[in-house]
Amino acid sequence: MGPHLTIEPNDRSVGGAASAVGKGVEMTSVLLGEGAQSSEGPADPLADFEGAIAADERIEPRDWMPDDYRKTLVRQMAQHAHSEIIGMQPEANWITRAPSLRRKAILMAKVQDEAGHGLYLYSAAETLGTSREELLDKLHSGRQKYSSIFNYPTLTWADVGAIGWLVDGAAITNQVPLCRCSYGPYARAMIRVCKEESFHQRQGFELLLALSRGTEAQHAMAQDAVDRWWWPSLMMFGPPDDESAHSARSMAWKIKRHSNDELRQRFVDICVPQAEALGLTLPDPDLRWNEERGHWDFGPIDWEEFRQVLQGNGPCNEERIGRRRQAHEDGAWVRDAAAAYAAKRGTGRPAAQAVAQEQPRAQAQTQDQHDGETAVSPR
Amino acid sequence: MTRSQDTPAGGGAATRAEAALDSPLLPLADDALVLSHRLGEWAGHAPVLEEELALANIALDLLGQARVLYSQLGDEDELAFLREERSFRNCQLVEQPNGDFACTMVRQLFFSACQELLFGQLAELGDPLASKAVKEAEYHRDHAEHWTIRLGDGTEESHARTQRAVDGLWRYTGELFEPLPGPAPVGAVDWAALRAGWTERVTRVLTSATLTVPDSPQSGAWAAGAGRQGLHTEPFGRMLAEMQHLHRSHPGASW
């Protein structure tokens, strides 16, 4: 992270926009992994499972696993996927107003990447026997959650930068350890997601840097955005360890590798020098270096606000889920048409899959060889 | 998309801006920018996740084309953010609001079928940039073509919506074939051949989509070449207001 970053939206070497259309299909082989062979009913499947976890081996889709392990993973992966697609909204809010063509291209590519992550994660969840339709239905009916951070509004252009720097930064801190998660398809999905997220984080930093070094009004805009996004970003790591409902078990299963508080501290330690490089301040008077701990101390987090937003009382909860539902309902006739057309052609595929069949270009070559696998929608 | 010959290389800003307004590249750049902007409005609203990716992909391709073209005429941001409505040279088709998904796909089919043929001709005339862009246009046309067929030949509702989109947008298609005067290669384009190729292709797609090709005129009283002369439809002014507001609120700032 330096002050002289130059990032071009068309640097697609990190697997950004150019490859995005192909994601739906090419992901399959990655997610299913090498040698994910089913083993014929071992004598003691639980012992085998626990042995694999203890030995840091990956659990693959066809391996036996405890029901609770499966449920925990589906819950976490679904919430992650939902966060990606709900997270498109606050940033898409600025696509039509981006102040330069270069920024417009960067932002569009970023929002597109998020759609790609959503697709990727829904597919990873499907390896556990749950369909995208089912998960979307749970999102729309409020039975599954998405990250609360997206219930905050993007009020100025600088918020786009703050989301990239802080929200994506926090997400990466959370997600990098997931690349070593015990469930293979999730771990492999996260490797790709993290690469793109770190790209987004650098772009956010660079956007804020341009504002911070710009006119007085631009600098004030950047400071205001950081003031508003800092505390919600710290809340992204979840409640303190002694109040976290699922943490202990997830850590035992090696779905999770570090505690909420550990990750939060790591994030603060990363951000403090970056804020300094940006020439912006973090809105916490208690922030100071603790020589003894070798970490930055920070002030108390307003957990009441966190609970309020979680319970649906954030500034944008209704708007976000309402817009998502609206998009889904508005698109129903399109999905119906795709399904009806596919049925007439005798392919009989569900709508989403019929759609995916028609992604030309990047997918054209890979389509045939993956056609038999459950990339986009289960048969 | 080669630099137009009459652009003064070292001329002052004013002369350069005037030259830009006369360049036949400007309408092509404006078409790409405006349609890209409209497609960007879909972000977060697409009917399926795969279309979020596809629409953004097309929007990014078009934005990339616009930027390459603008950079040959002057400063890309000045051209995009500091011109008034009457100075934009895009055709009226691309500025039409998104409407429903059928409307967006039919608009894309009409535009990309034309762009593919136009860039094809430019590539043959030796324009190196067009030979890259023609591949993009081909993909956009292909994508829109598949959707038009699927929607036209899908359900009763999708058929009705798609026919409505075809009928509603038809009168903006004539403008696509208005010759753009100026130096080669754009000045050397065979517009009659372009029109014939477009009509053949679009007729084939609409027919296989079980849709009716309108027999109404392809331009209204104002529409024939109006966009190319800076006469636009009402929604365009609001689109520009939104697009330009932030940039104009901070004169001289860099982003």
Side-chain angles (χ1 to χ4, degrees):
Chain A
M1 191 62 52
H4 302 296
L5 296 171
T6 49
I7 295 158
E8 287 303 321
N10 292 330
D11 178 2
R12 291 167 168 181
S13 56
V14 291
S19 62
V21 177
K23 280 175 184 169
V25 169
E26 70 191 43
M27 67 180 67
T28 312
S29 57
V30 182
L31 292 174
L32 291 178
E34 299 299 323
Q37 299 303 320
S38 72
S39 45
E40 284 301 320
D44 185 354
L46 181 61
D48 276 14
F49 171 82
E50 285 174 346
I53 296 281
D56 262 343
E57 285 168 18
R58 292 265 164 86
I59 307 299
E60 296 298 338
R62 289 163 204 169
D63 293 340
W64 184 90
M65 62 188 86
D67 281 350
D68 282 348
Y69 177 82
R70 185 184 299 270
K71 273 187 208 153
T72 301
L73 277 168
V74 168
R75 182 179 57 81
Q76 184 171 336
M77 287 156 75
Q79 176 165 337
H80 192 164
H82 298 332
S83 301
E84 295 283 357
I85 59 168
I86 294 282
M88 294 169 71
Q89 288 183 31
E91 294 181 280
N93 184 36
W94 284 92
I95 286 179
T96 52
R97 291 176 287 172
S100 73
L101 295 187
R102 174 172 169 266
R103 293 289 176 199
K104 196 182 178 90
I106 291 174
L107 185 56
M108 272 207 272
K110 184 188 172 190
V111 174
Q112 184 194 37
D113 280 345
E114 276 150 17
H117 295 171
L119 199 54
Y120 207 46
L121 287 160
Y122 284 124
S123 302
E126 281 174 350
T127 64
L128 292 166
T130 173
S131 72
R132 195 205 308 179
E133 288 73 15
E134 196 182 328
L135 296 178
L136 281 175
D137 187 51
K138 285 183 176 162
L139 169 66
H140 297 152
S141 60
R143 281 174 294 156
Q144 282 179 344
K145 298 207 173 302
Y146 55 89
S147 177
S148 271
I149 191 79
F150 300 118
N151 291 318
Y152 289 87
T154 46
L155 301 178
T156 73
W157 169 250
D159 290 32
V160 172
I163 287 186
W165 178 46
L166 293 173
V167 176
D168 292 333
I172 295 163
T173 309
N174 259 331
Q175 290 167 7
V176 163
L178 290 175
C179 298
R180 295 185 294 121
C181 160
S182 60
Y183 187 59
Y186 193 27
R188 287 188 287 275
M190 291 318 299
I191 291 171
R192 178 164 188 169
V193 169
C194 283
K195 271 186 202 161
E196 293 182 3
E197 291 293 357
S198 66
F199 191 59
H200 298 162
Q201 198 258 1
R202 289 201 303 275
Q203 290 173 332
F205 181 91
E206 194 255 349
L207 190 162
L208 285 177
L209 189 68
L211 294 179
S212 179
R213 294 181 174 178
T215 65
E216 209 173 307
Q218 285 177 308
H219 181 89
M221 193 194 283
Q223 184 60 59
D224 168 62
V226 169
D227 289 349
R228 282 182 289 110
W229 288 93
W230 172 249
W231 291 108
S233 301
L234 293 192
M235 295 176 197
M236 282 177 71
F237 296 93
D241 293 347
D242 47 6
E243 294 171 28
S244 179
H246 306 288
S247 275
R249 199 175 56 185
S250 286
M251 284 183 67
W253 277 335
K254 296 185 182 171
I255 292 173
K256 203 173 158 145
R257 297 266 178 177
H258 306 278
S259 79
N260 293 353
D261 286 333
E262 262 173 67
L263 292 168
R264 188 166 13 245
Q265 180 69 60
R266 186 181 293 180
F267 178 65
V268 172
D269 291 346
I270 291 169
C271 286
V272 173
Q274 290 182 357
E276 201 173 327
L278 282 171
L280 298 171
T281 58
L282 296 172
D284 180 357
D286 296 331
L287 203 60
R288 59 181 59 85
W289 178 250
N290 184 324
E291 192 66 55
E292 207 171 300
R293 294 201 307 126
H295 291 291
W296 286 87
D297 288 339
F298 53 96
I301 292 171
D302 181 358
W303 291 111
E304 180 50 27
E305 177 180 317
F306 177 73
R307 274 183 285 274
Q308 286 283 328
V309 178
L310 204 61
Q311 283 163 18
N313 299 322
C316 301
N317 295 57
E318 279 177 34
E319 186 187 333
R320 299 289 186 242
I321 201 69
R323 180 166 295 189
R324 180 88 272 292
R325 268 193 222 120
Q326 188 70 49
H328 193 71
E329 283 163 21
D330 289 350
W333 70 270
V334 177
R335 297 190 299 275
D336 289 348
Y341 179 80
K344 283 183 203 177
R345 301 280 136 171
T347 49
R349 294 192 178 98
Q353 194 161 26
V355 171
Q357 298 289 320
E358 286 303 338
Q359 301 295 326
R361 200 153 67 177
Q363 288 188 357
Q365 308 95 353
T366 51
Q367 188 65 63
D368 288 340
Q369 67 210 58
H370 290 297
D371 206 24
E373 298 171 320
T374 53
V376 176
S377 177
R379 304 261 158 130
Chain B
M1 312 201 311
T2 339
R3 181 190 294 272
S4 65
Q5 297 306 305
D6 55 2
T7 304
T15 10
R16 200 166 179 214
E18 277 164 34
L21 284 185
D22 290 338
S23 165
L25 300 183
L26 189 65
L28 305 186
D30 289 346
D31 283 352
L33 174 68
V34 171
L35 188 52
S36 166
H37 184 94
R38 285 297 190 203
L39 291 170
E41 292 173 352
W42 270 101
H45 301 271
V48 281
L49 207 38
E50 283 79 0
E51 281 307 299
E52 293 283 359
L53 294 167
L55 292 169
N57 225 24
I58 297 169
L60 279 165
D61 282 346
L62 290 169
L63 185 52
Q65 292 171 8
R67 295 183 67 191
V68 167
L69 289 163
Y70 285 141
S71 69
Q72 294 177 39
L73 300 170
D75 179 90
E76 61 173 21
D77 287 336
E78 264 180 53
L79 286 163
F81 295 99
L82 297 179
R83 272 182 303 151
E84 307 270 326
E85 196 179 339
R86 294 279 278 110
S87 303
F88 274 81
R89 296 281 179 260
N90 56 284
C91 60
Q92 292 183 350
L93 176 69
V94 294
E95 75 201 30
Q96 295 312 305
N98 287 335
D100 63 12
F101 189 68
C103 218
T104 292
M105 280 301 129
V106 170
R107 183 184 63 194
Q108 197 68 46
L109 174 70
F110 288 169
F111 177 76
S112 297
C114 174
Q115 208 196 31
E116 182 186 3
L117 292 164
L118 176 61
F119 286 165
Q121 283 200 33
L122 293 177
E124 273 180 30
L125 291 164
D127 187 318
L129 291 169
S131 37
K132 173 177 179 279
V134 71
K135 295 193 191 91
E136 296 172 347
E138 183 190 350
Y139 157 69
H140 306 162
R141 191 263 309 146
D142 190 60
H143 185 79
E145 186 172 313
H146 279 96
W147 268 113
T148 304
I149 292 172
R150 209 180 291 128
L151 296 177
D153 193 14
T155 62
E156 212 171 299
E157 180 183 5
S158 68
H159 178 87
R161 283 176 183 264
T162 313
Q163 186 65 57
R164 218 165 27 237
V166 168
D167 295 345
L169 292 169
W170 192 250
R171 69 198 184 101
Y172 299 109
T173 55
E175 188 177 9
L176 295 170
F177 319 112
E178 288 291 317
L180 298 171
V186 179
V189 166
D190 180 347
W191 296 92
L194 202 160
R195 179 174 210 133
W198 185 92
T199 306
E200 191 269 326
R201 173 129 231 163
V202 167
T203 302
R204 185 148 44 86
V205 175
L206 296 184
T207 306
S208 61
T210 72
L211 296 163
T212 309
V213 180
D215 54 11
S216 54
Q218 282 176 274
S219 60
W222 275 59
R228 300 293 187 220
Q229 295 156 36
L231 285 170
H232 296 281
T233 53
E234 285 184 350
F236 183 59
R238 290 191 295 276
M239 192 207 98
L240 274 195
E242 183 174 345
M243 184 178 93
Q244 297 181 336
H245 166 259
L246 179 59
H247 183 96
R248 286 178 180 244
S249 299
H250 298 263
S254 42
W255 301 93

